[in-house]
Amino acid sequence: MDRLTAETKIKELVKRIERHNRLYYEQDRPEISDQEYDQLMRELTELENQFPELASPDSPTQRVGGEPLPFFEKVVHKTPMLSLGNAFGEADIRDFDRRVRQAVGSQAVRYVAELKIDGLAVSLHYENGMFVRGATRGDGSTGEDITQNLKTIRSIPLKLTKPLTLEVRGEAYMPKAAFDKLNREREERGEALFANPRNSAAGSLRQLDPKIAASRQLDTFIYGIGDLQGETVESHSEGLDLLESLGFKVNKERRVFEDVEELLAFIENWTEKRPTLPYEIDGMVIKVDSYSQQEELGFTAKSPRWAVAYKFPAEEAVTVLEGIEVS
Ligand SMILES: NC(=O)c1c(N)nc(OC2CCCC2)nc1O[C@@H]1CCC[C@@H]1O
């Protein structure tokens, strides 16, 4: 086959495969069988192997994972990935609110409240809109390069809607249904079970063989900007809207509050509704919305003074001894 024909065939295959991906992953209504889909992917892979210069970095074949790595390279984050101070109850939230208002004086304060996703923190680096590198949080300054594994997560865009250079942070997680399915399969194979979705997401992403991550139905929620070139945003909520418009998956349950009473009611509401979510959360993250106020507030040694993690009370630990429930 000549190059020109191959180029046309590759473009046509990519369009067909991306359409079937949307039908399968976003609308849950596939039109072709897995075998037919695999055949399309085999054809595209063969053409890309024959004409490597025609294989684009955001090709659907990037999602299946290549050869296992001997080890993970280290990555120094452009800006440190911070941890969060904790709040364990209403009084702690009111203290946080008081400290913020003291620091910013008479200015109005807006908070963004987000679900605190219980997964593995990751940093994603894009150059001119293309996904080039992804890493674990590590110690906050240096993480491990797990780009090959992150490319297999379909909610991570390989190409943004705009050719921006930026670094974003988010949580990679395993949905509860995927976790239950994985443990059922491991039990049938007599393998050790994962303790919780967080451990299974972390375990999956720290495999040297990307085909393992590709098989684990991982997902992401992006929650912050580490570095942004070529665009300016004035607040965290505006930043999240920009991230969503660029193609990232941003959690929809975020809300902006000006009144701490309404914020507390929102936290109370999610404390109760938590079991209804299809993914695990271990609390809420409350952030001052205005970037200029974040700057005024600054950081302690390891976490921002403009954000706090509200931790849900530990769920009732119930042990069942021979069928008698004791808690
Ligand atoms: N797990 C989360 O859902 C989450 C979130 N929604 N938002 C942030 O904001 C960062 C940026 C400012 C300091 C922490 N961090 C989150 O998780 C982090 C990862 C590492 C420590 C926290 O758990």
Side-chain angles (χ1 to χ4, degrees):
M1 179 186 299
D2 67 274
R3 199 178 178 288
L4 200 61
T5 317
E7 192 163 11
T8 312
K9 186 77 183 139
I10 284 176
K11 282 199 169 76
E12 185 252 330
L13 277 169
V14 167
K15 256 175 71 135
R16 280 178 68 189
I17 289 167
E18 285 180 345
R19 178 175 166 276
H20 288 302
N21 281 343
R22 279 193 299 280
L23 284 167
Y24 184 86
Y25 289 103
E26 288 166 19
Q27 299 165 35
D28 195 17
R29 52 188 190 90
E31 280 178 3
I32 57 175
S33 70
D34 291 359
Q35 290 70 22
E36 288 167 300
Y37 178 84
D38 293 345
Q39 179 51 33
L40 291 175
M41 285 292 277
R42 257 193 303 280
E43 273 179 56
L44 177 56
T45 305
E46 272 155 33
L47 280 171
E48 289 181 347
N49 292 342
Q50 252 180 296
F51 300 88
E53 76 284 6
L54 295 179
S56 99
D58 66 324
S59 165
T61 55
Q62 292 293 311
R63 297 293 190 189
V64 295
E67 293 312 307
L69 296 171
F71 56 89
F72 289 123
E73 301 279 351
K74 290 293 178 205
V75 170
V76 177
H77 301 305
K78 202 151 170 58
T79 54
M81 291 181 70
L82 302 162
S83 59
L84 283 165
N86 289 330
F88 292 99
E90 181 176 321
D92 290 346
I93 294 290
R94 290 185 189 283
D95 287 349
F96 171 68
D97 176 51
R98 234 189 320 278
R99 280 199 308 276
V100 166
R101 291 183 190 282
Q102 237 152 22
V104 302
S106 57
Q107 299 166 39
V109 174
R110 256 189 344 278
Y111 294 112
V112 180
E114 302 167 14
L115 301 182
K116 187 169 182 297
I117 311 302
D118 196 5
L120 181 75
V122 293
S123 179
L124 308 176
H125 185 80
Y126 288 75
E127 277 165 24
N128 305 318
M130 301 306 285
F131 178 49
V132 292
R133 186 176 58 252
T136 62
R137 177 169 173 270
D139 63 7
S141 308
T142 307
E144 290 176 321
D145 184 329
I146 54 166
T147 306
Q148 296 309 329
N149 290 339
L150 291 168
K151 281 187 170 181
T152 70
I153 302 179
R154 293 171 187 296
S155 57
I156 292 182
L158 298 176
K159 180 176 179 179
L160 302 179
T161 57
K162 289 173 83 172
L164 292 184
T165 295
L166 75 164
E167 188 153 303
V168 302
R169 275 78 199 265
E171 205 83 359
Y173 70 92
M174 184 180 284
K176 289 175 182 172
F179 171 71
D180 293 340
K181 180 167 170 279
L182 175 65
N183 262 353
R184 273 200 306 277
E185 289 161 359
R186 290 174 76 93
E187 191 163 24
E188 275 153 28
R189 291 196 302 261
E191 287 171 13
L193 305 189
F194 280 108
N196 53 53
R198 191 211 167 287
N199 287 6
S200 57
S204 304
L205 283 173
R206 306 191 55 193
Q207 292 286 331
L208 290 165
D209 178 359
K211 292 213 182 324
I212 293 178
S215 73
R216 292 285 170 80
Q217 294 166 314
L218 296 171
D219 206 336
T220 56
F221 284 118
I222 303 303
Y223 55 62
I225 295 173
D227 179 65
L228 175 61
Q229 313 282 326
E231 291 257 344
T232 48
V233 282
E234 305 295 325
S235 71
H236 176 62
S237 50
E238 196 189 332
L240 293 178
D241 294 343
L242 170 68
L243 292 175
E244 208 160 31
S245 71
L246 290 172
F248 292 107
K249 186 171 176 185
V250 180
N251 195 284
K252 295 245 179 297
E253 305 305 341
R254 62 192 189 272
R255 282 268 297 279
V256 176
F257 292 95
E258 284 166 11
D259 172 277
V260 74
E261 303 306 328
E262 286 174 21
L263 168 62
L264 288 165
F266 187 69
I267 292 173
E268 182 54 37
N269 171 49
W270 278 111
T271 307
E272 273 135 43
K273 275 176 45 180
R274 175 184 183 192
T276 67
L277 288 165
Y279 46 81
E280 291 209 338
I281 62 172
D282 61 341
M284 309 289 287
V285 182
I286 316 303
K287 301 169 186 175
V288 168
D289 192 26
S290 147
Y291 280 164
S292 61
Q293 290 180 348
Q294 289 186 6
E295 245 168 77
E296 273 183 76
L297 284 152
F299 304 86
T300 66
K302 59 183 180 44
S303 53
R305 287 199 184 87
W306 43 265
V308 69
Y310 174 85
K311 305 289 279 188
F312 288 141
E315 283 180 305
E316 283 300 291
V318 174
T319 39
V320 179
L321 293 173
E322 289 95 44
I324 306 160
E325 243 188 52
V326 294
S327 49

